[in-house]
Amino acid sequence: DGTSGDGSSLSLGMKSYDDLDFDLHEAAQAFHQIARLVPSLKSRTMGDEVHDARILRVILVDCSLQVAKGGGSTIPARDVIERLRLADVTIDARTVVSVAMKRWLDDTYDNIDKELNRDGGKKSKQRPVVLETHDSQWFKSLKVEFARSGYKLIEMSEAEKLKTPIPILVYGRTSADTVYSIRALVERGLADPRHLCALLSGYEGLEDLAALGTHEVGHVCSSEIYDAAFEFVRNKALAGTPVTEIQADLDDGVLDS
């Protein structure tokens, strides 16, 4: 896991490569050390059957992070991994979380269209989405990315002027802050819980969200998604799926075996 360990609510901001828990070469060295520990498995037998062992190197990292070179140039982390073959499979931390958020937005807008008897097929080029956060860097980062998928990120003050139901993504400094903001929005009647989505990092955030007493609030939890991604890779590998096919599915945000 090469995502940032800064304790933020969700590991999806525009962070420096230096903020990661370890760099790509340290990950490659760790893979090498593990490989040295398991060659004896190749000679182990169970009855008369010999079981071969192979290590599948899987790394989780934001592939868009720029790695600085000595001459002042930069190169995307994904390019470094592929050029030096530092891992067999790369899980793009940004892609899998972004796909989950966009899937929630698609589903929520489908429900809103049905409630209003509105034809979703005649939607405008960019549908508004509120991102309730104090992190301006994170807002700017996602605003550009969501625009490519037909969504326009706006602030709560802008949404109040539109007089129509709008999905709201809530991102706080920590998961606890996120859940507190959700509670305040619901208790003060400022948002329909069905149109709210908590952006969380750890499972403890899910527990806090459940304590609100409403199951209508959606969530995107990076820990939950990353676990699912690793499980997807493991199941695919055990089923004999080629690494190239596993990588292609991950790049498309597919996490269903």
Side-chain angles (χ1 to χ4, degrees):
D1 182 351
T3 52
S4 174
D6 63 359
S8 62
S9 177
L10 197 68
S11 302
L12 194 62
M14 293 176 63
K15 298 183 176 66
S16 165
Y17 175 75
D18 296 331
D19 291 337
L20 299 182
D21 286 342
F22 52 76
D23 66 33
L24 299 177
H25 292 86
E26 289 175 329
Q29 292 171 37
F31 287 140
H32 179 67
Q33 292 298 322
I34 293 173
R36 293 179 59 184
L37 297 175
V38 299
S40 59
L41 290 176
K42 294 185 178 181
S43 60
R44 288 186 182 181
T45 62
M46 294 182 64
D48 297 326
E49 183 181 359
V50 177
H51 289 264
D52 216 16
R54 182 174 71 89
I55 291 178
L56 182 66
R57 300 171 302 162
V58 183
I59 188 168
L60 169 70
V61 68
D62 182 344
C63 293
S64 66
L65 290 178
Q66 298 295 309
V67 181
K69 308 296 289 186
S73 62
T74 59
I75 180 174
R78 179 68 171 268
D79 289 353
V80 175
I81 295 170
E82 292 181 347
R83 284 187 184 183
L84 302 181
R85 297 182 181 179
L86 300 182
D88 301 307
V89 174
T90 303
I91 300 173
D92 188 341
R94 188 179 188 87
T95 293
V96 292
V97 172
S98 294
V99 167
M101 286 194 289
K102 292 167 187 174
R103 184 179 296 123
W104 180 85
L105 288 173
D106 289 344
D107 291 343
T108 301
Y109 254 121
D110 284 345
N111 291 332
I112 290 175
D113 289 336
K114 291 176 182 177
E115 293 169 9
L116 301 179
N117 292 318
R118 187 170 60 188
D119 185 357
K122 296 181 180 180
K123 61 186 179 183
S124 59
K125 287 187 177 180
Q126 288 197 329
R127 311 194 81 172
V129 174
V130 171
L131 176 56
E132 181 66 8
T133 181
H134 295 292
D135 191 328
S136 60
Q137 190 177 36
W138 210 76
F139 189 98
K140 293 176 183 177
S141 173
L142 285 187
K143 186 171 185 177
V144 173
E145 184 167 339
F146 275 40
R148 302 190 191 104
S149 300
Y151 291 109
K152 179 183 179 181
L153 285 192
I154 62 175
E155 296 183 350
M156 186 72 78
S157 57
E158 297 177 74
E160 292 171 351
K161 300 174 184 178
L162 297 178
K163 305 298 182 180
T164 185
I166 296 175
I168 302 174
L169 301 171
V170 182
Y171 172 74
R173 182 179 56 85
T174 64
S175 290
D177 287 350
T178 298
V179 175
Y180 178 82
S181 295
I182 294 254
R183 182 191 299 276
L185 289 170
V186 173
E187 290 182 347
R188 296 171 188 172
L190 298 177
D192 187 326
R194 297 173 300 171
H195 304 156
L196 283 170
C197 181
L199 305 181
L200 308 167
S201 58
Y203 286 100
E204 68 280 359
L206 294 178
E207 296 174 0
D208 293 339
L209 190 63
L212 291 181
T214 174
H215 300 290
E216 297 178 306
V217 176
H219 74 270
V220 171
C221 174
S222 58
S223 291
E224 193 174 49
I225 294 168
Y226 296 157
D227 285 348
F230 277 113
E231 183 179 6
F232 171 82
V233 173
R234 179 179 183 276
N235 291 339
K236 284 289 188 179
L238 290 175
T241 305
V243 169
T244 53
E245 184 177 328
I246 296 174
Q247 187 65 67
D249 284 343
L250 287 172
D251 291 341
D252 289 337
V254 177
L255 297 182
D256 298 323
S257 302

